[in-house]
Amino acid sequence: MDDDVTEADIISCVEFNHDGELLATGDKGGRVVIFQRDPSSKASTPRRGEYNVYSTFQSHEPEFDYLKSLEIEEKINKIRWLKRKNQSHFLLSTNDKTIKLWKVSERDKRVEGYNTREDN
């Protein structure tokens, strides 16, 4: 197994959401990793702050500003969680040029195409 850490893997920002249930990290490679608090660690005595990976996505890509002849790196400078208004979570991420708004929500998981009733 290759355990080499590249420059792109270095975390550049960290932000908890308002209730501490979610933690988002941004890295120099433009990726966002969202962690969710482990329910068993919250209920344990003494309380522990253990988190599991919830979601990972590419937020920013490297760009070139042709008007300024300038390369814009994908490094995420800041992450901010917005206050919840419904079941979804909203997250802002920014590099040197662009601010992006992300919607993080659970998808309904349904079993389809299978006989889910018990046979007698």
Side-chain angles (χ1 to χ4, degrees), residues 44-56:
S44 69
T45 307
R47 289 179 64 165
R48 300 185 320 262
E50 296 176 3
Y51 286 77
N52 299 315
V53 174
Y54 180 76
S55 180
T56 303

Side-chain angles (χ1 to χ4, degrees), residues 29-77:
R31 291 178 300 269
V32 171
V33 180
I34 300 173
F35 298 89
Q36 183 176 37
R37 188 160 189 190
D38 187 318
S40 64
S41 77
K42 191 162 95 171
S44 69
T45 307
R47 289 179 64 165
R48 300 185 320 262
E50 296 176 3
Y51 286 77
N52 299 315
V53 174
Y54 180 76
S55 180
T56 303
F57 57 91
Q58 186 71 35
S59 177
H60 289 78
E61 299 282 349
E63 299 176 53
F64 189 79
D65 187 335
Y66 292 99
L67 295 175
K68 297 179 181 176
S69 295
L70 184 69
E71 283 190 46
I72 297 142
E73 59 182 9
E74 63 271 30
K75 173 189 165 196
I76 297 178
N77 296 325

Side-chain angles (χ1 to χ4, degrees), residues 11 13-27 30-38 50-59 76 78-82 84 87-93 100-106:
I11 293 174
C13 59
V14 175
E15 183 75 17
F16 284 94
N17 75 337
H18 297 289
D19 62 6
E21 290 298 312
L22 298 174
L23 167 67
T25 64
D27 66 21
R31 291 178 300 269
V32 171
V33 180
I34 300 173
F35 298 89
Q36 183 176 37
R37 188 160 189 190
D38 187 318
E50 296 176 3
Y51 286 77
N52 299 315
V53 174
Y54 180 76
S55 180
T56 303
F57 57 91
Q58 186 71 35
S59 177
I76 297 178
K78 198 109 159 129
I79 290 176
R80 282 287 180 258
W81 290 96
L82 302 179
R84 285 181 86 176
Q87 289 297 103
S88 299
H89 296 274
F90 289 92
L91 173 76
L92 293 170
S93 64
K100 293 188 177 184
L101 173 66
W102 299 96
K103 180 179 180 180
V104 181
S105 61
E106 289 279 335

Side-chain angles (χ1 to χ4, degrees), residues 4-16:
D4 292 336
V5 176
T6 65
E7 183 76 16
D9 296 326
I10 296 173
I11 293 174
S12 56
C13 59
V14 175
E15 183 75 17
F16 284 94

